[in-house]
Amino acid sequence: MKIQQTIKRNRLGLLFQQGSFGIEKESQRVHADGSVVTTEHPKVFGNRSYHPYIQTDFAESQLELITPPNKKPEDSLRWLSAIHQVVLRSLPENEYIFPLSMPAGLPSADQIKVAQLDNPEDVAYREHLVESYGKNKQMVSGIHYNFQLDAELIRTLFNAQTEYQSAVAFQNDLYLKMAKNFLRYQWILLYLLSATPTVDADYFKDGSPLQLGQYVRSLRSSRYGYVNAPEIVVSFDSVEKYVETLEHWVASGKLIAEKEFYSNVRLRGAKKARELLQNGIQYLEFRLFDLNPFEPYGIGLKDAEFIRYFVLLMIWLDETADQQGVELGKARLAEVAFEHPLSQTAYRQEGEEILNRLLAMLNEINAPTEIVDIVTEKLAQFADPAQTLCGRLVQAIEQAGGYQQLGAELAQRYKAQAFERFYALTAFDNMELSTQALLFDLIQKGIKTEILDENDQFLCLQFGDHIEYVKNGNMTSHDSYISPLIMENKVVTKKVLQKAGFNIPQSVEFTSAEQAVASYALFEGRAVVIKPKSTNYGLGITIFQQGVANREDFAKAVEIAFREDKEIMVEDYLVGTEYRFFVLGDETLAVLLRVPANVIGDGEHTVAQLVAMKNDHPLRGDGSRTPLKKIALGDIERLQLKEQGLTVDSVPAKGQSVQLRANSNISTGGDSIDMTDEMHESYKQIAVGITKAMGAAVCGVDLIIPDLTRPAESHLGSWGVIEANFNPMMMMHIFPYAGKSRRLTQNVIKMLFPEIR
Amino acid sequence: MKIQQTIKRNRLGLLFQQGSFGIEKESQRVHADGSVVTTEHPKVFGNRSYHPYIQTDFAESQLELITPPNKKPEDSLRWLSAIHQVVLRSLPENEYIFPLSMPAGLPSADQIKVAQLDNPEDVAYREHLVESYGKNKQMVSGIHYNFQLDAELIRTLFNAQTEYQSAVAFQNDLYLKMAKNFLRYQWILLYLLSATPTVDADYFKDGSPLQLGQYVRSLRSSRYGYVNAPEIVVSFDSVEKYVETLEHWVASGKLIAEKEFYSNVRLRGAKKARELLQNGIQYLEFRLFDLNPFEPYGIGLKDAEFIRYFVLLMIWLDETADQQGVELGKARLAEVAFEHPLSQTAYRQEGEEILNRLLAMLNEINAPTEIVDIVTEKLAQFADPAQTLCGRLVQAIEQAGGYQQLGAELAQRYKAQAFERFYALTAFDNMELSTQALLFDLIQKGIKTEILDENDQFLCLQFGDHIEYVKNGNMTSHDSYISPLIMENKVVTKKVLQKAGFNIPQSVEFTSAEQAVASYALFEGRAVVIKPKSTNYGLGITIFQQGVANREDFAKAVEIAFREDKEIMVEDYLVGTEYRFFVLGDETLAVLLRVPANVIGDGEHTVAQLVAMKNDHPLRGDGSRTPLKKIALGDIERLQLKEQGLTVDSVPAKGQSVQLRANSNISTGGDSIDMTDEMHESYKQIAVGITKAMGAAVCGVDLIIPDLTRPAESHLGSWGVIEANFNPMMMMHIFPYAGKSRRLTQNVIKMLFPEIR
């Protein structure tokens, strides 16, 4: 298989670098001191029988976090970050994720609970592992790195050769070459990336093989790690031989199942090895990698890229390791694993040679300079073992006073980091917060999600065969096409709501004062506001809150309005407070009061200081990357202060409410206050009725209500509809400034997938 | 009841002029010669048991066209126009609508078929009428004018008085005042607006009461018209007396039912008169009016406005006619009805006095000058009877050589006019043609329709309790909200369609030639087009229709594209013709081929002449008020001609196809050709599948197909999807340039109201 020649001749460098990447990461849930917990897998993560992102491995305490496959390693790492943020924020307050592969503070064996899976076979398998290896070994964690070559590349390489007749046979041998060469040279990755230099003595059944203070490069990849008995040799010569030898060990009872074969490379693409003969190998799973404790999620992008090009080198090389080479590689791995992390490796020369060949390959395929830099850096680590991951880790353990201490410290730090912007999924920060909140819940509950268009907030959700699309957090198939069109058109909305019998404020426009006054009878006794059609700073507005009492006052108000504009409006004036009702289906899920930007005096600080203090609130920021917006101190706010006889330097009295805006929008620094429990049920029912009249499934209804505690009556004095909004905002309900959080995104999921209990 | 004082004192002039108006218009279906047909009511008009717009009156041949109530008389006339256009275009080719009230060319009595209604009571009632009056009298047609005062006006007037305790009693007396004064002065409207000066002698059972050549003002309102026996006197003194006397006549058998009381004013608002006692009179129905043959739809806007203010005057007047006054009015009506149309009326003085009082009222209430002009014009007709409608009509009859001849002539002219823009409803021409087409079908089939927002093409449809909203002709509740959002986003559309397994052309973008050539292997053997990202006049485009054969050609094409832009695209090239599939639900209803603007030479005319000739096609116009667009002869067309070695002055050979545009858009003069029957079924199924994948109910799918007669195969060589469009255009299918019309608006209605058989 002369791959590099074909790539060079056909200039396939770009195609060669395509592929698909997925990451599985195991880790232990631990206490604040780093010791493994004995609690059950948290119920909040839904059902493990289908969860695509959050699983358990051997034990209840051992999380397995799985990214979907992505075309770019960086996207897999974004998913890994998002899944971690979901898990860390969902864990009980006193639980953390241990950042090291070797567990610390293990409970006694009888306290370690095997994962409570639904499938009895899965449970039986784990019981068998306990028998064969003991529980402690099973508690070791690592990273599995899945890699698939681009189908076009394989097709093109196959077309460019004459040796193989069968495309499947060619594909199998291509992946086998990658697998065998990987096994031959895996020790290099171990040297550079291993991170299991030590473990507690009580991890070993029969006493620690390490002397006091002895560090090694990788306990996990040594024979004290989670490895098969040395006699279990499986052939990688061909898929046929692989299947044959693997089936032999299972038949002989040395392995309870094929999956007990813990090779650092697994051939993937079939449930049973034998099916590979038919379907061909689809991708490889590389299982060598220790958790990198310096990365919050166990692996960094540079290392993920390094591994990617390293495995590509494994097919680029002209030679293919034979079984002897594979065994040699495994022996070297064991040997290097037991070297001291700060010592030079015995095979430095081979390591440097391979990385130099990798650099040559990068040059041939026009790889990005970033990866050249990464490889160059790794190459230098052969001369300076202290710079290897394990070298640095040993130093950190010494500094921390022990590896459990280091792990506990890092676990706490990473959990705290995950809460810094607790309302966001930082890896997906270029999407709206509401979509991030939805994504959070989808990951938590295990609904398979594909981001179809990040800029457009377009998601594809799947549960079994059931597919749903969501845009902007709550635009779904459950609303009919005509609903947003009705709501978009204020005239039509009014007609529809009026026809359905809801209290709608009326407005009449006039182009002459004479005409307006001639219509006086229309308004007599009604609470109305008279205003110029285009208002500026409230000039020309008269409000008859108690109803128009006489023609003279009305005529005067009309005249005042006409001073500001050629057209005026006489509108029903609704006395009361505006509330936003978030309706989904048959229920008002949340009611919110929006209060104009304000501060409350304390008799000590100036307005400017009070604003700065209020702006320190974690929810406040630019208003797009945060749920609430910082209060500005611009012209409008200063004018508002002036009207209250204040400046930014005034010191308001204790308890004095200082208003900084006339409008109550959240986007101008307003406060959001949840009033769901305070609101009388009758208004919630009205909001549901309005939503139904709009033909909508999800709707934001704005009502003006004078007294939210009194039952609704059927006249404008009791309540009136201001607006019905499609795609209503959710963040202000999910993260209100005050009052209870309403996790509406979960309701959206329930609406879309009622079959999930 | 001192109404005018209250109006003046409270300046209620504007409110006084509000109200609600509806028109019912009877007329006979006739042959080209004006003689009444004996055919059944056309099936195309759906079911008379619920039809709100198109009914039959006494006979099968007698259409009754009904407008919904409107706030402005002009809107009622727009509806009347629309209903007429629907009816005229739906009638058999040899049928017309007779524009005169008195029928001509009546069939023998046994040939006149009484309306075949579902309700046996309705049929029995008509049988009774035949007994009492004979069939001929039943064939007379007229206009019924419904008028309702504004509820706010009545409320305000009631509040301003002290005489009445009960609002219902006040409302009843207000309407009774209007009714009685109307009966007192109705002869004035007859003088001005009557139009039944003569009729055929055989209309009369016992010989014509008219001497040869004698004309009268209104046969219809005379005792030879459709009136009760003289002894049937019903009291308008109070609602109680009205109910009492009316019930008396029914009980005595002189009337078979209350509705046989043919007063020129009917009190409306209840099924049975007795219910008026409870509910109050809701509106009045004025039945005096003859069809105006000079108006295509029987009544003109000026007369409708005149009637409106005339009936307002009836409550403005301080005096209220008593029963004696009513009887006096009826006597005068009969007398004036029998005057010669060109003679002065005996009651000119009273007529002029009333119209002068009307002018005074208009002045008091600040009425628009238009109505003042109308009344002034009518006032002058007392001095010049030749200017009355009947006066003019008599002259026209004389000119035409008989009233049947005149009627036939006008009937033919009005029908021809209704076909002038046969694809539009001209009264609703400010809406899109597709909404006009839908409205046509809704009126035809009798679905109650309210125009919620004309500018926004927003309709509310109702059948029984079932309400549906439609925007832009086919945006409805049947599509889900997410479907158009998917279709709006080309990236998401592609992903969704690809996932569902449809043939999607791929495209890759490159920012460097090196990078593009490095990807050569991706494209080898594939039909692709290589083009600059922003194309100008097709510069820099290379098409490999047979597939890319070698790297050198590919590299050359890449280089050419990069000369025009910094970014280029390599796209799958689909060989074939683009077709538009219109899918609704499970069916492809129409397939259209769009051909770029073109003319075919005849060896005689220049290109410019050929274009002018083609542009004469009735479907071509500005493209918004017409289904097709006229071909322009601008720069782009001239450039296109130049490429074919032609100018606008060239004379193409006979049969030579001259292309005037490269693009096939209808909006640039392209031809639309229906191919529904030619298209292989398999592609129609694919279009349905694509629609389903989009989650859409209505979708316009663009497919490229090389051979529409061969079954579809599952590769891009057989077909490929270009686009899926929501709210797809319908007019090009309904009125194609060539091929069969597909009335898609009917399918939209069927989708919305499957319960209508």
Side-chain angles (χ1 to χ4, degrees), chain A residues 11 450 456 489 499 551, chain B residues 10-11 450 456 489 499 518:
Chain A
R11 285 178 264 177
E450 186 182 347
D456 216 17
N489 185 314
K499 210 180 265 200
R551 177 181 303 275
Chain B
N10 295 294
R11 284 178 264 178
E450 186 181 348
D456 215 18
N489 184 314
K499 210 179 261 201

Side-chain angles (χ1 to χ4, degrees), chain B residues 120-130 226 256-257 259-262 266:
Chain B
E121 263 181 51
D122 290 337
V123 178
Y125 174 64
R126 282 168 174 73
E127 300 295 350
H128 160 82
L129 297 180
V130 173
Y226 192 52
I256 193 175
K259 65 180 165 179
E260 198 191 338
F261 173 53
Y262 299 127
R266 268 192 185 161

Side-chain angles (χ1 to χ4, degrees), chain B residues 457-701:
Chain B
Q457 327 290 325
F458 226 121
L459 307 183
C460 174
L461 319 185
Q462 184 161 10
F463 182 74
D465 291 336
H466 178 180
I467 290 179
E468 293 281 351
Y469 299 95
V470 182
K471 185 166 148 40
N472 296 85
N474 61 31
M475 294 154 89
T476 71
S477 66
H478 281 245
D479 271 302
S480 88
Y481 189 6
I482 202 75
S483 298
L485 299 174
I486 292 174
M487 288 189 248
E488 229 167 41
N489 184 314
K490 295 302 160 204
V491 175
V492 172
T493 298
K494 237 177 181 174
K495 285 189 182 174
V496 171
L497 288 180
Q498 196 157 23
K499 210 179 261 201
F502 293 100
N503 297 344
I504 300 279
Q506 302 296 323
S507 73
V508 190
E509 292 169 19
F510 296 102
T511 50
S512 85
E514 193 192 358
Q515 193 195 28
V517 177
S519 306
Y520 169 71
L522 281 177
F523 307 110
E524 189 169 13
R526 272 158 76 177
V528 294
V529 53
I530 298 171
K531 58 184 180 188
K533 206 170 171 196
S534 30
T535 53
N536 274 320
Y537 301 104
L539 290 176
I541 295 183
T542 309
I543 297 175
F544 291 95
Q545 206 162 320
Q546 308 303 325
V548 187
N550 63 69
R551 176 181 304 274
E552 287 63 40
D553 291 353
F554 183 79
K556 179 82 188 160
V558 165
E559 191 207 319
I560 291 169
F562 268 113
R563 281 184 209 153
E564 304 300 328
D565 199 348
K566 283 180 297 186
E567 204 164 344
I568 69 160
M569 298 174 76
V570 184
E571 245 180 24
D572 279 323
Y573 181 75
L574 299 182
V575 185
T577 308
E578 184 179 336
Y579 298 92
R580 160 59 63 91
F581 290 67
F582 187 99
V583 179
L584 187 149
D586 293 328
E587 206 182 337
T588 291
L589 295 176
V591 181
L592 199 84
L593 170 65
R594 283 166 288 187
V595 179
N598 70 86
V599 289
I600 308 292
D602 59 6
E604 284 177 36
H605 295 90
T606 65
V607 169
Q609 288 168 331
L610 291 166
V611 166
M613 285 154 65
K614 188 159 183 173
N615 281 345
D616 267 350
H617 193 284
L619 290 176
R620 288 194 195 265
D622 68 357
S624 75
R625 283 171 43 91
T626 53
L628 295 175
K629 183 139 180 179
K630 283 187 196 290
I631 301 171
L633 279 178
D635 288 348
I636 300 174
E637 288 81 4
R638 282 164 203 268
L639 192 69
Q640 190 74 29
L641 284 172
K642 200 173 163 189
E643 282 178 20
Q644 297 160 81
L646 297 170
T647 71
V648 293
D649 299 320
S650 309
V651 176
K654 190 166 176 161
Q656 182 184 345
S657 173
V658 177
Q659 210 168 320
L660 290 144
R661 275 278 184 163
N663 64 307
S664 60
N665 302 48
I666 300 301
S667 61
T668 54
D671 293 343
S672 50
I673 300 169
D674 179 75
M675 301 292 274
T676 315
D677 296 334
E678 288 76 9
M679 183 61 64
H680 192 278
E681 179 59 26
S682 52
Y683 301 103
K684 296 183 191 172
Q685 285 310 313
I686 286 166
V688 170
I690 288 167
T691 301
K692 294 225 174 297
M694 294 285 105
V698 177
C699 188
V701 178

Side-chain angles (χ1 to χ4, degrees), chain B residues 107-377:
Chain B
S108 58
D110 60 318
Q111 289 289 310
I112 296 177
K113 194 179 280 172
V114 169
Q116 303 296 296
L117 302 176
D118 292 349
N119 184 349
E121 263 181 51
D122 290 337
V123 178
Y125 174 64
R126 282 168 174 73
E127 300 295 350
H128 160 82
L129 297 180
V130 173
E131 295 275 320
S132 311
Y133 306 84
K135 280 184 176 172
N136 288 2
K137 271 196 184 172
Q138 303 293 333
M139 302 294 271
V140 175
S141 299
I143 296 262
H144 301 174
Y145 186 106
N146 295 299
F147 174 68
Q148 181 173 45
L149 291 161
D150 192 283
E152 280 293 335
L153 174 73
I154 299 176
R155 197 177 64 87
T156 311
L157 292 176
F158 175 70
N159 290 338
Q161 57 82 50
T162 52
E163 192 184 342
Y164 291 83
Q165 305 301 313
S166 146
V168 170
F170 177 79
Q171 178 162 329
N172 283 341
D173 275 9
L174 191 62
Y175 276 119
L176 280 175
K177 176 178 183 180
M178 184 182 273
K180 283 185 281 189
N181 282 342
F182 181 87
L183 292 171
R184 171 65 184 83
Y185 296 116
Q186 58 180 327
W187 72 264
I188 296 170
L189 292 176
L190 182 139
Y191 173 80
L192 296 165
L193 302 177
S194 72
T196 48
T198 185
V199 73
D200 282 348
D202 57 5
Y203 165 81
F204 300 100
K205 267 193 280 193
D206 313 314
S208 173
L210 299 179
Q211 288 154 7
L212 196 69
Q214 185 193 342
Y215 292 108
V216 295
R217 290 208 150 94
S218 181
L219 269 177
R220 177 168 164 275
S221 289
S222 76
R223 62 194 174 92
Y224 303 104
Y226 192 52
V227 290
N228 297 116
E231 72 265 28
I232 309 288
V233 174
V234 172
S235 167
F236 282 82
D237 271 354
S238 67
V239 173
E240 288 75 10
K241 285 199 179 154
Y242 176 85
V243 172
E244 207 174 280
T245 46
L246 188 52
E247 287 183 345
H248 161 75
W249 291 117
V250 174
S252 71
K254 294 276 181 181
L255 296 176
I256 193 175
E258 289 176 359
K259 65 180 165 179
E260 198 191 338
F261 173 53
Y262 299 127
S263 172
N264 277 337
V265 183
R266 268 192 185 161
L267 314 183
R268 301 302 300 260
K271 290 252 176 215
K272 289 271 166 200
R274 182 156 290 278
E275 292 163 27
L276 293 173
L277 296 170
Q278 197 79 45
N279 309 335
I281 302 165
Q282 297 303 313
Y283 65 98
L284 297 186
E285 179 185 353
F286 301 100
R287 303 158 55 87
L288 174 72
F289 310 103
D290 295 342
L291 300 182
N292 178 346
F294 301 123
E295 291 289 342
Y297 314 126
I299 181 170
L301 180 58
K302 282 185 174 184
D303 289 347
E305 288 285 7
F306 179 67
I307 296 165
R308 164 193 191 177
Y309 284 92
F310 186 89
V311 301
L312 284 177
L313 178 70
M314 298 299 104
I315 51 171
W316 176 268
L317 296 176
D318 279 343
E319 70 273 21
T320 304
D322 56 11
Q323 194 63 33
Q324 209 178 343
V326 167
E327 293 308 321
L328 176 69
K330 283 159 77 175
R332 290 212 172 156
L333 184 79
E335 201 177 327
V336 174
F338 240 69
E339 290 174 341
H340 191 282
L342 297 175
S343 70
Q344 296 242 341
T345 174
Y347 303 103
R348 173 177 170 182
Q349 198 187 342
E350 183 178 274
E352 288 177 341
E353 187 206 320
I354 290 296
L355 290 207
N356 276 315
R357 290 170 75 178
L358 179 52
L359 284 172
M361 178 190 93
L362 296 179
N363 183 46
E364 292 279 2
I365 63 172
N366 278 315
T369 55
E370 289 82 0
I371 181 63
V372 175
D373 294 345
I374 291 168
V375 176
T376 307
E377 199 180 287

